[in-house]
Amino acid sequence: MRPDVQPELHSEPQPEWRAGPRRQPHAQSRSSEPAGPARPAAEGLSIAGVARQAGVSVATVSRVLNAHENVRPATRDKVLAAIDASGYRVNELARNLRTAESRLLLTMVPDFGNPFYAEIVRGIDSVARQHGYFMLLCDTGADAGRERSYFDLLRRRRADGAICLDPATIQQALGEASSALPWVACCEFEPSMGVPYVGIDNYRAAGDAVRHLLARGHRRIALINSDIDYLYARQRQQGYLDALTEAGITPLEDWRMNLNSLDYEAGASAAAVLMEPSHPKNAAPTAIFAVSDTLATGVLHGLRSIGKRVPDDIAVVGFDDISIASQVDPPLTTIAQPMRELGETAARLLLQRLANPLASVPGVLLPHRLVIRGST
Amino acid sequence: MRPDVQPELHSEPQPEWRAGPRRQPHAQSRSSEPAGPARPAAEGLSIAGVARQAGVSVATVSRVLNAHENVRPATRDKVLAAIDASGYRVNELARNLRTAESRLLLTMVPDFGNPFYAEIVRGIDSVARQHGYFMLLCDTGADAGRERSYFDLLRRRRADGAICLDPATIQQALGEASSALPWVACCEFEPSMGVPYVGIDNYRAAGDAVRHLLARGHRRIALINSDIDYLYARQRQQGYLDALTEAGITPLEDWRMNLNSLDYEAGASAAAVLMEPSHPKNAAPTAIFAVSDTLATGVLHGLRSIGKRVPDDIAVVGFDDISIASQVDPPLTTIAQPMRELGETAARLLLQRLANPLASVPGVLLPHRLVIRGST
DNA sequence: GTGAAAGCGCTAACAG
DNA sequence: CTGTTAGCGCTTTCAC
């Protein structure tokens, strides 16, 4: 019903952490601490110290800190002065223990070397910050153990919620009854497992890529896919197979490769393998559909090194439309994912879930788009 | 003196967060909670609840949780059983408040879309994890306000330490007397400001790149640099200028460009500008040295689009040796930075600083390497 | 308006 | 070996 999620308090966009009115006064603190020389500015200073210096109670300091109404201006100023003078900073640990929230959101990616995640993460980050949350990124390395330990951060209340872009986690998560945890899946998800998710229609997207190649006259189309354990890999494979079948083509098993990496190198060597002359003459693919632009970029490199020209000898289609896609030679035809929106939506779903843990949050599919460039 | 840093306790590599002996017993918890149906497994359960269920005191539970010695096996088993049955998880917030440490390390990058940071961050992450710390990544977007708020996470004890790869922060930080905060600088640093740092010798590295071009016979060498506010930009520019001068060449002002972005696109358009026919015939550069591989990759694309061939018409040298460098056409000659080691060293310096806040931690410079590929 | 006091969930003495 | 107890620094009734 609500046009946007408004977690309890903190509804206005605030650039800084809980930076209510109370921050203004001591911005630009001239660090006028009376302490010794190299003394780490007001190390173990607590609210009690400030209270003493200001000649008030801790309750009053707390009220000032939290911009509560019932404080006389004079008192407030006294407190502010004491805070300023002492260089006091709230111990967020204590505050969080009291309020039982950390205002931290976690985003887990399987590999932050993959540029695909960058824009998604930016989308998450911007929405989170708008709602007074910090977003912190973790690299799971697609490792179940590490994933689990990050989920533990959630269980142990060190973060309020999480967004997981990591396929492997999904499987892990399943066994952990983690659907009770405040997290959402992004890009890779299992619709059946009761966790809110956002992604694209991988089946249709793959079909679109293949149909584009078909329209260009290709009939022997190869698929360079990632590990078939991933849901998106299965969906894209099915889209590829069905598109071919619908065109009256029987997909050859030899045209398909499954890689356990999305690195450029993986794509390069896969291309070389695919083009091996061991293939029956009339069965060698004339086009390659790779399920990620990183892979496709590698494919371009691999084809180049075995003397094949793109798109004359062989066409290439990628997936994602990351920024490198338009820079390589030839620029990649690819399926664009709305990365920014994917991230923003994921963040919004999570915020929604935090605001109302009971409401069932829907899964959402965002539109993709075929971007035609020089590689086809 | 010490071969390696060993923060107080937690010295052995532990794959999971404080995952002492206590974890084993309840791995694979069969989630046998007696609670209602959709009840979020043991939401607000505390150590006291476990103690009650196990018929022991909270102290004993705490001991079991922390794998202390003095607990009779029978008692320990009782507690473990209660923990297992209830699905209890430590509230890390409370624990941290008590122990006054969060076991969290922050890494700030100006832009996690830049692949240069990926390997560095992995290096940090692996060292951090080996020492029982979590590493969380923040994107400052090269924005001073955001940088400041992340530093606040430190001040407010939400993280134990930070590694900053963000040039802009350095300036910000200076004004904040933040040299007292537990952080180290990586890649971009101000040696004079008393913050431990790790990086490379940018001056020599740039010189090496230019000397390589000189050796190839080039005399009109352009420099595509980032914003000169950055220390590394100034250092590399100086290395470039001096190398040219030493070779008896007077560097032309027209050969130098300063960009406020490291994106591919920025490199592409810079290349186009640089090659404009407005240049006097005999002054057009025959080689371009770009201060990052992303820029150089864009340059390749830009040159291609105006019909220039690399390296025949013009040579290109990049910087960093990120993974894309070897994939583009032609593969980039570049200055390789030891990214992994940079990250690992930064993490070690930070850990050292945390273990002994008083000891002065040195700045360290790591070796770079010229990698010659097809673009020259 | 302001203060006193009770915890948030945990760890660490200190007793027994 | 195990239990009791005193806080960690903060927020929040509830009085005054």
Side-chain angles (χ1 to χ4, degrees):
Chain A
M1 294 298 109
R2 292 195 274 152
D4 202 350
V5 184
Q6 305 279 10
E8 311 166 345
L9 340 148
H10 319 281
S11 29
E12 325 103 336
Q14 336 184 104
E16 289 205 15
W17 176 259
R18 281 200 178 189
R22 66 193 149 99
R23 293 300 303 292
Q24 245 88 83
H26 37 109
Q28 299 288 26
S29 145
R30 274 140 278 101
S31 64
S32 39
E33 50 246 309
R39 183 85 203 309
E43 251 310 332
L45 187 58
S46 79
I47 207 175
V50 175
R52 206 177 315 115
Q53 279 189 43
V56 300
S57 73
V58 293
T60 301
V61 177
S62 176
R63 287 190 191 100
V64 172
L65 248 21
N66 294 286
H68 282 202
E69 297 308 307
N70 300 332
V71 182
R72 207 179 344 136
T75 316
R76 147 181 258 95
D77 290 348
K78 250 192 322 190
V79 173
L80 254 16
I83 289 174
D84 216 16
S86 62
Y88 166 80
R89 297 281 170 161
V90 171
N91 179 330
E92 213 73 47
L93 246 33
R95 165 125 94 197
N96 293 338
L97 175 57
R98 215 22 247 245
T99 60
E101 65 169 16
S102 67
R103 290 260 142 192
L104 245 42
L105 261 28
L106 255 32
T107 297
M108 305 177 214
V109 302
D111 169 21
F112 42 47
N114 189 335
F116 170 59
Y117 299 116
E119 194 62 21
I120 297 179
V121 171
R122 281 203 202 91
I124 298 172
D125 197 36
S126 78
V127 171
R129 194 143 7 84
Q130 269 172 41
H131 291 263
Y133 282 85
F134 272 109
M135 190 226 65
L136 266 17
L137 196 63
C138 350
D139 185 359
T140 66
D143 173 77
R146 283 163 69 178
E147 286 157 12
R148 187 198 292 263
S149 72
Y150 287 119
F151 264 98
D152 253 22
L153 246 26
L154 260 182
R155 285 201 194 79
R156 300 177 179 200
R157 312 296 168 76
R158 313 228 14 204
D160 291 344
I163 292 171
C164 185
L165 291 100
D166 188 339
T169 305
I170 308 285
Q171 350 275 34
Q172 250 314 307
L174 258 167
E176 294 264 327
S178 56
S179 62
L181 255 25
W183 69 284
V184 312
C186 183
C187 296
E188 172 73 357
F189 52 87
E190 184 57 68
S192 66
M193 66 178 286
V195 167
Y197 62 85
V198 52
I200 64 163
D201 185 336
N202 285 297
Y203 175 83
R204 278 219 306 128
D208 290 348
V210 172
R211 280 184 288 273
H212 165 69
L213 255 7
L214 253 12
R216 283 276 201 269
H218 295 279
R219 300 189 54 83
R220 299 200 300 278
I221 301 172
L223 172 69
I224 299 187
N225 205 345
S226 68
D227 196 306
I228 207 69
D229 277 350
Y230 297 149
L231 182 66
Y232 79 87
R234 289 196 297 279
Q235 293 171 328
R236 293 180 195 175
Q237 169 170 291
Q238 201 55 53
Y240 156 89
L241 291 174
D242 289 358
L244 246 31
T245 307
E246 275 162 25
I249 297 169
T250 307
L252 257 51
E253 179 101 46
D254 281 355
W255 294 343
R256 295 208 306 274
M257 289 191 70
N258 288 98
L259 275 31
N260 55 14
S261 160
L262 295 176
D263 289 352
Y264 301 119
E265 288 73 18
S269 45
V273 170
L274 218 42
M275 292 298 117
E276 258 169 11
S278 67
H279 271 114
K281 238 317 175 319
N282 57 353
T286 65
I288 296 177
F289 170 37
V291 295
S292 98
D293 284 347
T294 51
L295 245 25
T297 298
V299 165
L300 253 28
H301 180 64
L303 292 175
R304 194 182 301 125
S305 61
I306 57 173
K308 300 281 182 193
R309 288 164 3 132
V310 177
D312 303 330
D313 297 338
I314 185 156
V316 176
V317 176
F319 206 110
D320 295 343
D321 197 27
I322 58 178
S323 60
I324 191 75
S326 61
Q327 302 289 320
V328 289
D329 183 33
L332 275 175
T333 290
T334 191
I335 300 285
Q337 295 205 52
M339 301 183 279
R340 181 97 194 180
E341 289 73 27
L342 247 15
E344 290 174 345
T345 307
R348 267 190 266 274
L349 290 184
L350 180 57
L351 257 16
Q352 213 166 311
R353 195 168 177 182
L354 293 182
N356 188 353
L358 302 160
S360 74
V361 182
V364 2
L365 253 31
L366 263 25
H368 60 271
R369 193 166 44 88
L370 175 69
V371 177
I372 300 174
R373 298 205 183 89
S375 68
T376 53
Chain B
M1 293 298 109
R2 293 196 273 149
D4 202 350
V5 184
Q6 305 279 9
E8 311 167 344
L9 341 147
H10 319 282
S11 28
E12 323 103 336
Q14 338 184 104
E16 290 203 13
W17 176 261
R18 282 198 176 190
R22 67 193 149 100
R23 293 301 303 293
Q24 245 88 83
H26 38 107
Q28 299 291 25
S29 144
R30 275 139 279 100
S31 63
S32 39
E33 51 247 309
R39 181 87 203 310
E43 252 310 332
L45 187 59
S46 78
I47 208 175
V50 175
R52 206 177 316 113
Q53 279 190 42
V56 300
S57 73
V58 293
T60 301
V61 177
S62 176
R63 287 190 192 99
V64 172
L65 247 21
N66 294 287
H68 282 204
E69 295 310 305
N70 300 332
V71 182
R72 208 184 338 139
T75 315
R76 143 182 261 96
D77 289 348
K78 250 194 319 191
V79 173
L80 255 15
I83 289 175
D84 216 16
S86 62
Y88 165 80
R89 296 284 170 160
V90 171
N91 179 330
E92 214 73 46
L93 247 32
R95 166 125 94 195
N96 293 337
L97 175 57
R98 209 31 243 242
T99 59
E101 64 169 17
S102 67
R103 290 260 142 192
L104 245 43
L105 261 27
L106 255 32
T107 297
M108 305 178 213
V109 301
D111 169 22
F112 43 47
N114 189 334
F116 169 60
Y117 300 115
E119 193 62 22
I120 297 180
V121 171
R122 281 203 204 91
I124 298 172
D125 198 35
S126 78
V127 170
R129 193 142 8 84
Q130 269 172 41
H131 291 264
Y133 282 85
F134 272 109
M135 190 225 64
L136 266 17
L137 197 62
C138 349
D139 185 359
T140 66
D143 174 76
R146 284 163 69 178
E147 287 157 10
R148 187 199 293 264
S149 73
Y150 287 119
F151 264 98
D152 253 23
L153 246 27
L154 228 71
R155 284 201 195 79
R156 300 176 178 201
R157 313 295 169 76
R158 313 223 19 200
D160 290 344
I163 292 170
C164 185
L165 291 100
D166 188 339
T169 306
I170 309 284
Q171 352 273 33
Q172 251 314 308
L174 258 168
E176 295 262 329
S178 56
S179 61
L181 255 26
W183 69 285
V184 311
C186 183
C187 295
E188 172 74 357
F189 52 89
E190 184 58 68
S192 66
M193 66 178 287
V195 168
Y197 63 86
V198 53
I200 63 162
D201 185 337
N202 285 298
Y203 175 84
R204 278 219 306 129
D208 290 348
V210 172
R211 280 184 288 273
H212 164 69
L213 255 8
L214 254 11
R216 283 275 202 269
H218 295 280
R219 300 189 55 83
R220 300 200 300 278
I221 301 171
L223 173 69
I224 299 186
N225 205 346
S226 68
D227 196 308
I228 207 69
D229 279 350
Y230 297 148
L231 181 67
Y232 80 87
R234 289 196 297 280
Q235 293 171 329
R236 291 180 195 175
Q237 169 171 291
Q238 202 54 52
Y240 157 87
L241 292 174
D242 289 358
L244 245 32
T245 308
E246 274 163 25
I249 297 169
T250 307
L252 258 52
E253 181 100 45
D254 281 355
W255 294 343
R256 295 208 306 274
M257 290 191 70
N258 288 98
L259 276 31
N260 55 15
S261 160
L262 295 177
D263 289 351
Y264 301 119
E265 289 73 19
S269 44
V273 171
L274 217 44
M275 291 297 116
E276 258 169 11
S278 67
H279 270 115
K281 240 316 175 317
N282 57 352
T286 64
I288 296 176
F289 170 37
V291 297
S292 96
D293 283 346
T294 51
L295 245 27
T297 297
V299 165
L300 252 27
H301 180 63
L303 292 175
R304 194 182 302 124
S305 61
I306 57 174
K308 300 282 183 192
R309 288 163 2 129
V310 177
D312 303 330
D313 298 338
I314 186 158
V316 175
V317 176
F319 206 108
D320 295 342
D321 198 26
I322 59 179
S323 61
I324 192 73
S326 61
Q327 302 289 322
V328 290
D329 183 32
L332 275 174
T333 291
T334 192
I335 299 286
Q337 295 204 52
M339 301 183 279
R340 182 96 193 181
E341 289 74 25
L342 247 16
E344 290 174 344
T345 307
R348 267 190 266 274
L349 290 183
L350 180 57
L351 257 16
Q352 212 166 312
R353 196 167 176 183
L354 293 182
N356 187 354
L358 303 160
S360 75
V361 182
V364 1
L365 254 30
L366 262 24
H368 60 270
R369 194 166 45 88
L370 174 70
V371 176
I372 300 174
R373 298 204 183 90
S375 68
T376 54

